[in-house]
Amino acid sequence: MTDSHAIQPSALDQLPDRDPEETAEWQASLDAVTKAAGPHRAAYLMRRTLERAEGNGIALPKLLETDYVNTIPTAAEPGIPGDEAMERRITAWNRWNAAAMVTRGSKYGVGGHIATFASAAWLYETGFNHFFKGKEADGSGDQLYIQGHASPGIYARAFLDGRLNEAHLDNFRREAAGNGLPSYPHPRRLPWLWEFPTVSMGLGPLSAIYQARFNRYLTSRGIKDVSDSHVWAFLGDGEMDEPESTAALALASREGLDNLTFVINCNLQRLDGPVRANFKIVQELEAQFRGAGWNVIKSLWGSAWDELFQLDTTGALVRRLREVPDAQVQTYQTRDAAYIRQDFFGADPALVEMAKLLSDDKILECFHLSRGGHEARKVYAAYKAAVEFKGAPTVILAQTVKGFTLGEGFASKNANHQMKKLTVDEFKAMRDLLELPIKDSDFVDGVVPYGHPGADSAEVRYLQERRAALGGPAPARRTHALAPLPAAADKTFAAFDKGSGSQNVATTMAFVRLVKDLVRDKQTGRRWVPIVPDEARTFGMESLFPSLGIYSPKGQTYEPVDRDQLMYYKEAKDGQILNEGITEAGSMADFIAASTAYSTHGEAMIPFYIFYSMFGWQRTADQMWQLGDQLGRGFLVGATAGRTTLTGEGLQHADGHSPVIAATNPAAMTYDPAFAYEVAAIVKDGLRRMYGEAAPGEDPNVFYYLTVYNEPLPQPAKPAGLGVDEGIVKGLYRFNTAESAGLSPVANAPRIQLLGSGTAIHWALQAQKLLSEEWGVSADVWSATSWSELRRDALDADAALLRGEERVPYVRQALQGAEGPVLAVSDYMRQVPDQIAQWVEQDYSSLGADGFGLSDTREAARRHFGVDAQSIVVAALAQLARRGEVKATAVKEARERYGL
């Protein structure tokens, strides 16, 4: 055999043949058909035979591609149970107002996108009229992931049904003065309308899959039955290039998420040009989704094509459609009938004959206008088939024309994504095409008018009646009046106040122990959602496996290898743990779904997602931003944190910067606790703020990021005295003084303030002792639990000053009167402690682990970065020497003594 695609003899040898003679007869029949009727006929017979085998349940590899035709033939399309003429008028108004909104806004230079909604209008309108369930029935309804660039069309529909007015539309992309509309679906900016942020592209499809999966989780665990909720994700064909878009396809099919439908608007264009210029994106996506186990429905051609397919008695038309690349299809959209006759039909004698039977108008109707995604009947048939399909998720590949109805200047043009406005003449042509009752005199001073048939018009009544029948407006986000969750018993948190005595305990283990106690709480324990990306054993969480169970829709269909052990691997249909495998992106999507269940489903869930701190923020910071936009609540835990604490793992595992990235997120409350009692105090306050009684002016729509360490160390008792609990939460408190530490400083000794966060405070405590015993310097040690919260408070104070209000930043209040300079240290780059430098009145200096990590012992790594106790001593002496409080020679002597 010379064909590289043929099955090699070695592979055939693995398949036992009980009747070689019968096999030879089948092969000979195929050869005879190929010779007599040609390869196309042979391929047709093989395809139909394979389809029959699949329909009869015979186990064969699936066909990954079907012909370039509609999955549902015209004869099998169900009728639309509504007034199609009325729906066309409603859609026309929405098309007009979407284009008018963006065009009117263009005079301010704020931009906007017109062409996307123009191509996808019927994909949305059909859903809103017949499928998308609202929230007024059970509070959940369907979850809609709207393609971000289509937002003007959604605003236009909300304008038509009275939820927005002209002032709103005129403030599209102009939010600063209030009453504005955000550019894309941003729940934080428009929290009564948008539920899910979908720009950045790629995050929508990933989140939709995990939202559908989390819906099943809620139902299986008995939290709330949301089995009637359906997740719809509207995507662009170009968006599918993002790796996140297809990262979880196998999960969706593996878990049989038939409560999920992807609708991919295949207008064959991305931002700069064709999606697959020399290929066919629809066929590529079909193969990808079929291979992943999805149900695929193609809605490619409108009803004008029916006549052409009836004339195709040889299959030449279907073959030609399959072979023409996407960029050429775009060209047909802009060329005349003569060109199409020559280039498309002229490629095959059978097509030449077919074209003789077609008028120029018929050819242009088919190639310029008639697409499956532009006909309500085609879209309705696809949606109905999708929601009725059981056992797997469905993807609908709907072919459209980008810029449809906007005129020849827009349709299928490569630049149409960046085209922000239509001329008055183009609007008038669009008006005539859509048959809207807008007069020339309505264009005052060249400004395009908004169109509305009237609040009591037949169109508005029909729209509102359809939405009422489906459960209320959509899209819509609800903030449910949920009662605060009962607080866990104080003893749960107070247990950490006494310290660990002589036992060494890592803060990672302290957090896990706290969670174990919290998930046992009779009132709120079932609402915790532990999320782990296949690292539970690393973080000491395997003891939760048998008690909580790992969620699996199939339960446990096998006997685990460790069943005879106390902490065996237990999967269960009502399992509480989400163990996602090695996927930080999937785990974050889980977290987002759980953290927003208080709004999506009216059920407060408490997710905590624990991960290698190095691989959380830097891999999925975009999703953390999505989380903040979606107003999510919960606990992110960066374990094995720090640049020098995780021994031996090296450069790519050594986290010296996650708090820097976290500090850029306005919704992230970022903490670097040093001790177990600090972890407990921060979690307690987080539960109060996010799920209990938030203080006046305190936003509950935040999430907490805690860094915890894998270095076992003695955990001290919480210091007595006022202000410790407040300082832990606000970000800084004095842990001890030289005197309270039992050191005996000499009279009038130089004094310095050492600020440390996380594991670095232990080096500061060692340095405190060395400074006193070897250099006669008194040092007070402060625990900086949150550099970023100190900075945020200081920025708020600065903003208040601009408003004429006097407010002293907390960091300045805390350090007021503290003697000597300040030296700050952490296991992160110096940029982390330097966040507060400008608000510290004392002389300020810092140490940190800047640069790439390395593999070595903790001691060697800390010496390498200059953050160990001896390095802190030298830095402290240098700071004091510059002030003339110790001799300059002391610095040189210390360097030599400590081998620096």
Side-chain angles (χ1 to χ4, degrees):
M1 292 186 183
T2 59
D3 184 354
S4 62
H5 298 287
I7 299 176
Q8 298 301 312
S10 58
L12 290 173
D13 292 342
Q14 306 302 312
L15 303 173
D17 190 344
R18 294 187 303 173
D19 192 340
E21 185 175 343
E22 181 183 36
T23 302
E25 290 175 358
W26 277 75
Q27 292 172 334
S29 297
L30 179 62
D31 292 342
V33 171
T34 303
K35 183 176 181 180
H40 297 308
R41 178 62 181 170
Y44 176 87
L45 291 174
M46 288 300 299
R47 189 178 290 273
R48 293 296 175 263
T49 302
L50 288 170
E51 288 172 352
R52 173 62 63 89
E54 184 176 337
N56 289 337
I58 299 173
L60 285 172
K62 290 181 179 292
L63 288 170
L64 295 186
E65 289 185 31
T66 60
D67 288 323
Y68 203 66
V69 296
N70 295 347
T71 303
I72 303 171
T74 301
E77 292 170 3
I80 297 180
D83 187 333
E84 292 188 59
M86 181 68 72
E87 292 178 17
R88 279 195 297 272
R89 293 204 297 274
I90 291 170
T91 303
W93 285 115
N94 292 338
R95 286 182 181 278
W96 177 272
N97 288 320
M101 178 195 330
V102 176
T103 297
R104 287 170 65 136
S106 66
K107 66 181 179 181
Y108 301 106
V110 295
H113 301 286
I114 303 177
T116 296
F117 178 73
S119 69
W122 278 115
L123 303 180
Y124 292 105
E125 294 296 326
T126 304
F128 285 128
N129 288 330
H130 300 285
F131 291 94
F132 304 158
K133 294 187 287 291
K135 293 180 172 294
E136 292 180 357
D138 65 357
S140 289
D142 287 354
Q143 287 79 59
L144 308 180
Y145 288 77
I146 305 295
Q147 191 178 1
H149 294 135
S151 63
I154 309 305
Y155 291 139
R157 195 170 215 274
F159 170 66
L160 199 66
D161 73 9
R163 293 197 290 163
L164 295 175
N165 56 39
E166 287 193 14
H168 288 113
L169 301 192
D170 266 346
N171 284 320
F172 173 59
R173 290 195 170 197
R174 295 194 300 143
E175 301 176 77
N179 205 35
L181 299 178
S183 52
Y184 302 127
H186 292 310
R188 187 169 285 273
R189 291 300 186 204
L190 201 61
W192 60 267
L193 181 73
W194 298 121
E195 273 197 289
F196 306 107
T198 49
V199 176
S200 280
M201 286 188 286
L203 299 189
L206 179 68
S207 293
I209 290 173
Y210 281 89
Q211 181 66 58
R213 198 283 197 94
F214 190 74
N215 289 358
R216 291 281 175 84
Y217 172 89
L218 285 179
T219 301
S220 296
R221 291 197 50 225
I223 302 292
K224 182 179 181 180
D225 184 355
V226 294
S227 53
D228 284 339
S229 289
H230 199 88
V231 178
W232 299 83
F234 289 84
L235 316 168
D237 47 1
E239 181 178 6
M240 301 311 293
D241 284 346
E242 290 283 6
E244 296 89 351
S245 295
T246 55
L249 297 186
L251 167 72
S253 62
R254 184 169 67 243
E255 300 206 359
L257 298 181
D258 50 25
N259 60 338
L260 170 68
T261 297
F262 276 16
V263 181
I264 302 182
N265 179 16
C266 297
N267 57 36
L268 313 186
Q269 288 184 253
R270 51 188 175 197
L271 307 190
D272 289 332
V275 179
R276 293 290 183 272
N278 295 297
F279 306 92
K280 301 192 79 64
I281 185 59
V282 168
Q283 299 300 89
E284 178 181 320
L285 291 174
E286 178 184 29
Q288 193 169 17
F289 278 87
R290 284 191 185 278
W294 286 53
N295 176 42
V296 179
I297 299 173
K298 295 196 289 193
S299 183
L300 307 180
W301 307 112
S303 55
W305 283 83
D306 290 348
E307 179 184 343
L308 276 68
F309 288 124
Q310 289 171 4
L311 293 173
D312 184 29
T313 58
T314 65
L317 176 63
V318 173
R319 289 196 299 273
R320 182 66 176 141
L321 289 173
R322 189 167 61 237
E323 70 188 21
V324 174
D326 284 351
Q328 190 63 22
V329 173
Q330 299 295 86
T331 298
Y332 295 150
Q333 179 71 35
T334 64
R335 303 302 289 270
D336 59 20
Y339 178 88
I340 298 171
R341 284 182 186 277
Q342 178 180 351
D343 190 88
F344 181 84
F345 292 98
D348 188 294
L351 294 181
V352 172
E353 294 303 312
M354 179 189 294
K356 292 177 181 178
L357 304 175
L358 304 174
S359 68
D360 285 356
D361 287 345
K362 181 64 177 181
I363 289 175
L364 293 179
E365 180 187 13
C366 289
F367 284 84
H368 285 193
L369 303 175
S370 189
R371 300 291 187 273
H374 293 325
E375 294 188 15
R377 186 173 294 268
K378 304 289 185 186
V379 176
Y380 181 88
Y383 285 8
K384 189 172 188 293
V387 297
E388 291 177 353
F389 189 87
K390 301 303 178 186
T394 294
V395 59
I396 296 169
L397 303 175
Q399 186 161 264
T400 66
V401 175
K402 192 166 186 177
F404 188 65
T405 73
L406 296 181
E408 294 182 0
F410 267 83
S412 292
K413 295 297 174 64
N414 282 339
N416 62 18
H417 191 78
Q418 302 302 327
M419 296 162 70
K420 312 300 182 186
K421 59 184 178 180
L422 278 70
T423 66
V424 169
D425 287 342
E426 287 172 328
F427 267 110
K428 290 178 179 178
M430 181 182 178
R431 171 202 60 191
D432 296 341
L433 175 66
L434 298 176
E435 300 179 341
L436 291 171
I438 297 173
K439 301 185 294 293
D440 286 354
S441 59
D442 293 334
F443 291 80
V444 179
D445 297 326
V447 177
V448 57
Y450 293 122
H452 200 292
D456 195 39
S457 64
E459 291 92 334
V460 172
R461 288 199 307 272
Y462 180 89
L463 182 155
Q464 293 176 342
E465 288 168 2
R466 292 305 308 141
R467 288 312 315 158
L470 287 165
R477 181 182 180 275
R478 292 288 183 264
T479 302
H480 299 267
L482 300 178
L485 291 184
D490 282 341
K491 65 180 182 180
T492 303
F493 305 99
F496 296 86
D497 291 351
K498 61 185 179 182
S500 64
S502 60
Q503 182 182 7
N504 289 341
V505 176
T507 52
T508 297
M509 299 312 302
F511 176 81
V512 171
R513 178 187 157 189
L514 175 62
V515 168
K516 286 180 181 178
D517 293 339
L518 290 171
V519 297
R520 284 198 290 263
D521 185 88
K522 292 182 180 179
Q523 297 188 80
T524 61
R526 64 198 291 263
R527 296 191 176 274
W528 283 84
V529 183
I531 302 168
V532 193
D534 198 38
E535 291 284 0
R537 298 182 194 278
T538 300
F539 309 134
M541 292 177 59
E542 66 270 25
S543 60
L544 297 177
F545 288 169
S547 59
L548 300 184
I550 299 165
Y551 170 72
S552 169
K554 289 184 176 294
Q556 195 151 39
T557 61
Y558 60 92
E559 182 177 355
V561 66
D562 54 359
R563 182 63 182 85
D564 57 342
Q565 298 179 15
L566 181 63
M567 293 184 287
Y568 71 97
Y569 195 84
K570 176 187 175 184
E571 295 187 84
K573 291 181 179 180
D574 61 349
Q576 192 165 351
I577 300 170
L578 292 174
N579 191 321
E580 291 303 354
I582 305 174
T583 167
E584 285 83 7
S587 299
M588 265 308 301
D590 260 338
F591 186 89
I592 291 171
S595 71
T596 54
Y598 73 92
S599 173
T600 308
H601 295 300
E603 295 288 345
M605 305 299 289
I606 312 171
F608 76 87
Y609 164 32
I610 188 167
F611 50 84
Y612 262 91
S613 69
M614 183 69 170
F615 302 134
W617 280 90
Q618 79 170 25
R619 282 200 178 197
T620 58
D622 198 10
Q623 287 178 283
M624 271 75 162
W625 201 261
Q626 177 190 13
L627 167 65
D629 191 350
Q630 203 166 319
L631 289 78
R633 305 170 184 175
F635 296 95
L636 298 174
V637 183
T640 61
R643 181 146 281 164
T644 70
T645 306
L646 183 60
T647 57
E649 297 286 346
L651 185 148
Q652 284 193 282
H653 283 65
D655 174 24
H657 54 278
S658 71
V660 178
I661 308 175
T664 65
N665 192 309
M669 308 286 292
T670 305
Y671 287 91
D672 186 24
F675 306 123
Y677 67 80
E678 293 178 352
V679 172
I682 293 164
V683 171
K684 180 180 181 180
D685 190 70
L687 290 170
R688 174 199 63 79
R689 176 170 179 171
M690 295 184 290
Y691 300 97
E693 297 283 359
E698 200 174 40
D699 185 4
N701 298 316
V702 295
F703 59 93
Y704 282 63
Y705 176 52
L706 283 73
T707 49
V708 293
Y709 298 82
N710 70 328
E711 184 175 13
L713 291 165
Q715 295 296 325
K718 183 167 75 172
L722 298 174
V724 173
D725 288 328
E726 178 189 29
I728 291 172
V729 172
K730 289 192 172 182
L732 183 68
Y733 69 96
R734 182 154 41 197
F735 176 74
N736 70 14
T737 63
E739 291 77 10
S740 66
L743 303 173
S744 302
V746 298
N748 300 318
R751 186 172 289 267
I752 190 169
Q753 308 298 318
L754 301 180
L755 277 58
S757 69
T759 196
I761 201 170
H762 296 280
W763 323 329
L765 290 169
Q766 296 168 31
Q768 179 190 44
K769 185 176 182 181
L770 290 173
L771 284 167
S772 177
E773 295 177 350
E774 299 186 14
W775 305 99
V777 172
S778 296
D780 301 337
V781 175
W782 299 70
S783 179
T785 54
S786 179
W787 308 101
S788 64
E789 283 307 298
L790 293 173
R791 176 179 175 81
R792 184 171 291 162
D793 171 79
L795 290 172
D796 289 344
D798 286 355
L801 186 63
L802 291 175
R803 297 191 301 267
E805 305 170 18
E806 289 288 342
R807 189 165 76 76
V808 179
Y810 175 79
V811 64
R812 188 170 294 169
Q813 295 178 43
L815 290 171
Q816 187 174 12
E819 298 178 40
V822 169
L823 175 60
V825 60
S826 81
D827 203 10
Y828 298 94
M829 55 197 302
R830 290 174 63 175
Q831 188 174 338
V832 175
D834 284 351
Q835 291 179 82
I836 66 170
Q838 73 183 80
W839 293 281
V840 175
E841 292 182 320
Q842 293 89 342
D843 291 342
Y844 188 89
S845 175
S846 66
L847 296 174
D850 286 77
F852 287 113
L854 76 165
S855 299
D856 213 309
T857 64
R858 293 182 178 119
E859 292 75 16
R862 287 163 188 166
R863 176 56 59 91
H864 170 80
F865 286 109
V867 292
D868 61 350
Q870 291 78 10
S871 298
I872 294 172
V873 169
V874 172
L877 293 174
Q879 205 170 355
L880 291 167
R882 286 194 295 271
R883 296 163 55 93
E885 296 181 24
V886 301
K887 295 180 180 179
T889 55
V891 181
K892 180 175 182 296
E893 182 183 347
R895 280 199 302 267
E896 293 174 351
R897 180 183 302 182
Y898 300 135
L900 298 177

